[in-house]
Amino acid sequence: MVQGDLAGVPAPYVEPKMQVQLFISAKKLRDMDFGSKSDPMCVVYELVNGQQRKLGQTEQRKDDLNPEFTTPIVADYFFEKKQDIRILMIDGDGNGTYDTIGEVRTTMGAIMGAKNNTFTQNLSWEGRSNTGTVMVRTEPVQTTNEVLSATLRVSGVNSRIPTCCFGS
């Protein structure tokens, strides 16, 4: 029986969620540069109430139309909530300027439910239907390496068992 100030008060609802890492790569990106190849970077946004909230971005890859970004983006995945996601692939030109290679609009549910934990979709931008392909591989964030921590107390042990095993 529960006693105290919270007796009879239901526990507050906590939305079931998990943190995931999004590992992003791309293939056959449209080349936006003249004289060299694009220097792509990927930015991921969550769309909430008509506003974009930046979840994170990858590193920029120099002269690479098939990048495999090493910087993961950490995001919360809410099991019972629709989360609209925008994946934006850009070509950084320096000094904070960039050209847009393409984008994908999807949901976290589609990303998390993809076969083999890898979401794949063609990028598009301003009427161009295929400016490359983006792949998003997901992994849950490991919060601890500890599986179990326990304290063992033994009493009434046969005195013939060496003390090296259980102490004295």
Side-chain angles (χ1 to χ4, degrees):
M1 172 124 192
V2 177
Q3 296 180 0
D5 293 337
L6 296 177
V9 177
Y13 176 74
V14 177
E15 284 187 280
K17 71 173 184 175
M18 68 184 285
Q19 276 199 322
V20 294
Q21 291 180 319
L22 308 177
F23 293 92
I24 299 172
S25 60
K27 289 186 180 176
K28 298 180 182 178
L29 293 178
R30 185 170 139 227
D31 193 355
M32 305 296 288
D33 293 342
F34 298 103
S36 66
K37 294 179 183 167
S38 291
D39 307 318
M41 177 171 72
C42 187
V43 186
V44 179
Y45 299 93
E46 182 176 7
L47 307 172
V48 180
N49 298 325
Q51 299 292 315
Q52 292 189 127
R53 184 176 66 88
K54 185 177 176 181
L55 296 178
Q57 68 186 41
T58 66
E59 77 278 7
Q60 186 172 13
R61 301 297 301 250
K62 185 109 172 110
D63 296 327
D64 193 348
L65 300 179
N66 299 291
E68 293 190 18
F69 300 106
T70 58
T71 304
I73 295 170
V74 176
D76 287 330
Y77 170 53
F78 293 90
F79 299 106
E80 299 173 359
K81 178 180 171 186
K82 182 180 179 193
Q83 294 171 268
D84 292 311
I85 299 295
R86 179 182 184 215
I87 301 169
L88 181 66
M89 193 70 63
I90 60 175
D91 171 29
D93 294 329
N95 300 324
T97 61
Y98 63 88
D99 297 314
T100 299
I101 298 171
E103 72 172 355
V104 167
R105 292 185 183 242
T106 187
T107 64
M108 277 298 286
I111 293 170
M112 294 300 294
K115 185 176 182 181
N116 297 323
N117 296 328
T118 303
F119 171 85
T120 302
Q121 192 163 333
N122 289 336
L123 295 159
S124 62
W125 185 249
E126 294 183 340
R128 294 180 187 221
S129 61
N130 189 357
T131 58
T133 303
V134 66
M135 287 80 63
V136 182
R137 182 176 53 84
T138 60
E139 287 184 15
V141 172
Q142 187 75 341
T143 56
T144 180
N145 289 332
E146 189 172 270
V147 177
L148 176 66
S149 177
T151 302
L152 181 64
R153 181 176 165 201
V154 179
S155 63
V157 176
N158 187 326
S159 62
R160 288 183 276 168
I161 296 177
T163 58
C164 68
C165 299
F166 294 107
S168 52

